């Protein structure tokens, strides 16, 4: 009887669970049994592994073969277990020493010819292996760069099962024929999910993206939103530049930190939209789903274990909902919980998955179905009841979680023809945003929070005090019913961001007044751009 074991990783959402792959050979009729709660794609690995072993020059054992995946209670799916199953079988057949693979973690799909094909989710898989104490992993050569992002782990990238056998048995490593230059590499197909949209959620390089100077007005609102990661609602008639503003928001966000980059890369790797040649996402993602998107596509879902939705693809970046009132009410209200918690917990029959979802929400909306309700003399014919129903599609609880509500003014003839001069460029505004975030980071250095929008309300009221008398206007708004308790906390967060942009040690009455004006829409007599322009 022969026995060998090695390890692989099962992904549950964007988290990994180390799975022990055991192979047992016994005398009897030749058969191959796979146990341990595998799905359909994993069950089919029996045929892939057998063909790959034979075509790699090794002998397939003609005995009763049982491969077990432990723990058996964890659902396992995908083709990433092929490499571990093949290694365990070869170890049980004594083609390789079972001791050399006992402490290895192997992730990869096998082709029938023995080539090792890349799979999705390499980064979270290696992170799970490192957390479990494993220090050696074997992955497909195309994803070795992604796996190397995890510190303290030795990564071996292989192109074929033949190469892996040679490395484990100290034999000369055979050379595999490289892909001809200019020829499509079919091996990369495993990294992408059909229909996911390659590149979805990834923002363009700020140097190559649209410039903020091309848009007239409203820069101060974008600047405050980016500096404190505050949620933003842009309302106004068609053609006022709402979409143009939102598309330029990623350009003024600072680059992701190392930890943030790993979080974003893990989500995009699991979702199958990580671009080849870029193992680490360094820029804030930007996701703009169409208004026909379903609730499952926004928060996550799918057959079996849920897959990341738009809120997770926008993690540490921007989720832009253009024509927000046209989204279904269920889809919009499903955003309320992740807006508060920074993650989404999806419960399905196959299991419960927790996905990260800390994003900056940007909404764009017209005032009425025809869009001309706020324009004087524009001929809006929408009845008042229709206007009220249209605006009520954005529910009160959702709007209560939006920090900044900005009215986008129509573009004037002077602005349109360029006679008013170009505004500030993306580079100039981005520099101010970086300075404001640096001030906030210094203030929050010994706390678990990174930006002002993450500070709990209790800490804002008890630990980070505004200037004396600065909250008088906010207190009056609470008494009048214009502000909720959550609204006061969000006004304080915005006021701190305005103070950081203005270089103030703490918010004064003008900073609070501007925050109140941007939340309630009631004019406070504060010059436009106060704080953000100072």
């Amino acid at each position: 009887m022969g026995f060998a074991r090695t390890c692989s990783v099962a992904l549950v959402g964007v988290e990994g669970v180390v799975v022990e792959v055991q192979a047992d050979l016994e005398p009897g009729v030749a058969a191959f049994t796979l146990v341990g709660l595998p799905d359909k794609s994993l069950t089919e690995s029996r045929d892939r592994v057998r063909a790959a072993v034979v075509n790699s020059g090794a002998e397939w054992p003609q005995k009763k073969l049982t491969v077990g995946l432990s723990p058996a209670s964890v659902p396992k799916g995908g083709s990433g277990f092929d490499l571990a199953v093949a290694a365990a079988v070869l170890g049980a057949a004594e083609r390789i020493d079972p001791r050399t693979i006992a402490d290895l973690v192997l992730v990869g799909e096998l082709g029938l010819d023995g080539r090792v094909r890349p799979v999705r989710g390499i980064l979270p898989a290696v992170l799970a292996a490192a957390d479990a104490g494993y220090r050696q992993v074997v992955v497909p050569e195309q994803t070795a760069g992604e796996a190397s992002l995890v510190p303290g782990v030795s990564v071996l990238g292989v192109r074929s099962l033949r190469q892996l056998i040679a490395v484990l048995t100290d034999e000369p490593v055979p050379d595999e024929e490289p892909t001809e230059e200019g020829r499509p590499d079919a091996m990369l197909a495993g990294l992408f999910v059909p229909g996911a949209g390659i590149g979805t959620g990834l923002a363009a390089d700020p140097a190559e993206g649209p410039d903020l100077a091309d848009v007239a007005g409203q820069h101060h609102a974008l600047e405050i939103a980016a500096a404190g990661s505050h949620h933003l609602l842009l309302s106004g008639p068609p053609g006022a530049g709402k979409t143009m503003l939102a598309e330029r928001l990623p350009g003024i966000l600072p680059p992701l930190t190392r930890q943030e980059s790993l979080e974003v890369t893990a989500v995009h790797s699991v979702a199958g939209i990580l671009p080849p040649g870029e193992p680490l996402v360094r820029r804030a993602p930007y996701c703009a789903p169409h208004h026909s998107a379903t609730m499952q596509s926004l928060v996550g879902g799918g057959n079996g274990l849920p897959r990341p939705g738009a809120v997770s693809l926008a993690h540490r970046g921007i989720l832009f909902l253009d024509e927000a009132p046209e989204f279904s009410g269920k889809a919009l209200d499903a955003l309320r919980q992740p807006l508060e918690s920074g993650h989404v917990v999806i419960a399905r029959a196959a299991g419960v998955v927790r996905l990260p979802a800390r994003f900056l929400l940007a909404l764009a909306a017209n005032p009425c179905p025809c869009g001309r309700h706020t324009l004087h003399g524009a001929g809006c014919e929408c009845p008042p009841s229709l206007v009220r129903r249209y605006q009520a599609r954005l529910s009160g609880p959702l709007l209560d979680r939006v920090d900044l509500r900005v009215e986008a003014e129509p573009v004037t003839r002077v602005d349109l023809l360029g006679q008013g001069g170009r505004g500030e460029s993306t580079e100039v505004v981005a520099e101010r945003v970086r300075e404001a975030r640096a001030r906030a980071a210094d203030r929050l250095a010994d706390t678990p929070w990174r930006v002002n929008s993450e500070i709990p309300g209790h800490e804002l009221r008890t630990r980070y005090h505004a200037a004396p008398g600065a909250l008088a206007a906010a207190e009056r708004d609470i008494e009048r019913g214009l502000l909720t308790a959550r609204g006061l906390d969000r006004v304080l967060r915005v006021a701190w961001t305005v103070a950081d942009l203005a270089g103030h040690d703490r918010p004064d009455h003008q900073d609070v007044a501007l925050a109140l004006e941007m939340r309630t829409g009631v004019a406070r007599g504060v010059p436009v751009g106060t704080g953000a322009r100072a």
Side-chain angles (χ1 to χ4, degrees):
M1 182 180 71
F3 176 82
R5 63 183 178 86
T6 187
C7 294
S8 190
V9 179
L11 291 178
V12 182
V14 294
E15 299 177 354
V17 178
V18 176
V19 173
E20 187 176 74
V21 181
Q22 304 169 342
D24 176 68
L25 284 174
E26 295 179 356
V29 179
F32 188 173
T33 305
L34 183 64
V35 297
L37 209 59
D39 71 350
K40 180 66 174 176
S41 61
L42 182 51
T43 303
E44 293 173 348
S45 69
R46 295 177 300 183
D47 300 318
R48 292 194 300 269
V49 170
R50 182 188 291 108
V53 168
V54 173
N55 290 326
S56 297
E59 183 179 351
W60 184 259
Q62 297 300 317
K63 296 182 180 180
K64 181 182 179 181
L65 170 63
T66 303
V67 174
L69 308 176
S70 179
S73 59
V74 177
K76 305 166 191 72
S79 56
F81 291 87
D82 289 3
L83 198 58
V85 171
V89 171
L90 291 172
E94 298 183 352
R95 174 65 177 85
I96 58 179
D97 189 346
R99 293 173 296 179
T100 62
I101 60 174
D103 295 326
L104 277 182
V105 174
L106 302 100
V107 182
E109 176 186 339
L110 284 175
L112 300 183
D113 58 354
R115 290 185 300 170
V116 180
R117 304 177 66 93
V119 294
R120 297 177 288 113
I122 288 294
L123 178 59
V126 178
L127 284 171
D131 292 340
Y134 292 88
R135 293 294 174 261
Q136 291 181 311
V137 298
V138 179
V139 299
E141 187 180 60
Q142 293 90 337
T143 58
E146 183 181 342
S148 300
L149 297 173
V150 182
V153 176
S154 175
V155 178
L156 172 63
V158 294
R159 292 181 60 88
S160 66
L161 183 60
R162 287 182 291 270
Q163 288 186 341
L164 178 61
I165 295 174
V167 171
L168 295 177
T169 56
D170 292 329
E171 299 174 358
V173 179
D175 293 329
E176 299 292 339
E177 296 182 4
T179 304
E180 297 179 10
E181 187 176 354
R183 183 179 179 183
D185 190 356
M187 300 284 283
L188 297 177
L191 296 176
F192 304 123
V193 177
I198 299 174
T200 301
L202 292 180
D205 191 330
E208 302 174 357
D211 195 347
L212 194 59
D214 299 333
V215 186
Q218 310 300 342
H219 292 188
H220 62 287
L222 239 61
E223 192 173 336
I224 295 173
S229 191
H230 300 292
H231 306 308
L232 173 67
L233 168 63
L234 296 168
S235 59
K242 303 185 295 294
T243 304
M244 292 181 67
L245 281 169
E247 289 174 345
R248 284 152 178 78
L249 187 53
I252 63 176
L253 289 177
L256 299 176
T257 64
R258 175 74 178 184
Q259 180 60 35
E260 291 172 343
S261 293
L262 289 176
E263 294 174 7
V264 174
T265 302
V267 174
H268 284 69
S269 178
V270 170
I273 58 175
L274 193 64
E278 292 187 25
L280 185 65
V281 178
R282 294 181 173 85
R283 298 185 299 275
Y286 175 80
C287 192
H290 190 259
H291 63 256
S292 61
T294 62
M295 182 179 69
Q296 289 77 14
S297 67
L298 283 181
V299 300
N303 296 327
L305 288 175
R307 292 181 52 248
V311 296
S312 297
L313 297 181
H315 180 60
R316 299 296 179 187
I318 299 163
L319 176 65
F320 175 50
L321 303 184
D322 201 3
E323 305 294 346
E326 301 296 339
F327 283 79
S328 71
K330 290 179 61 177
L332 289 174
D333 287 336
L335 301 177
R336 285 152 54 176
Q337 285 177 295
L339 284 176
E340 286 290 322
S341 62
H343 62 266
V344 58
V345 178
I346 307 172
R348 296 290 186 270
V352 179
V353 173
R354 184 181 187 273
L355 299 170
R358 187 169 295 281
F359 55 90
L360 191 164
L361 176 65
L363 302 169
N366 293 326
C368 67
C370 76
R372 300 191 297 271
H373 179 66
T374 56
L375 295 177
H376 298 290
C380 175
E381 298 179 356
C382 299
S385 58
L386 180 60
V387 175
R388 286 194 300 269
R389 285 198 302 270
Y390 186 80
Q391 295 178 351
R393 293 181 182 179
L394 299 179
S395 65
L398 176 63
L399 291 179
D400 198 37
R401 291 165 167 82
V402 176
D403 305 335
L404 307 174
R405 306 175 191 178
V406 180
E407 189 73 27
E409 299 294 336
V411 180
T412 64
R413 176 179 58 84
V414 174
D415 293 330
L416 187 61
L417 298 179
Q419 298 173 13
R422 287 171 60 86
E424 290 182 299
S425 66
T426 296
E427 183 179 357
V428 172
V429 178
E431 181 59 32
R432 282 203 302 268
V433 170
R434 281 193 291 268
E435 292 174 358
R437 287 216 177 185
R439 294 189 186 99
D442 291 341
R443 185 172 62 252
L444 304 173
D446 298 327
T447 70
W449 315 299
R450 304 174 185 178
V451 292
N452 292 324
S453 63
E454 298 177 359
I455 307 175
H458 176 73
E459 296 291 332
L460 282 170
R461 295 188 295 271
T462 60
R463 184 173 178 180
Y464 301 101
H465 299 284
L471 298 179
E475 294 169 357
R476 288 194 298 269
D477 282 0
I478 290 180
E479 295 175 355
R480 296 170 182 171
L482 296 177
L483 270 184
T484 62
R486 180 191 287 120
L488 176 62
D489 293 343
R490 293 188 174 276
V491 166
L492 287 174
R493 293 168 184 162
V494 174
W496 272 105
T497 300
V498 175
D500 288 335
L501 285 166
H504 300 160
D505 293 335
R506 53 181 176 171
D508 57 21
H509 72 282
Q510 277 201 334
D511 298 331
V512 175
L514 180 58
L516 282 169
E517 180 175 332
M518 297 191 117
R519 178 170 182 83
T520 63
V522 179
R524 310 282 171 161
V526 183
V528 175
T530 295
R533 296 294 184 190

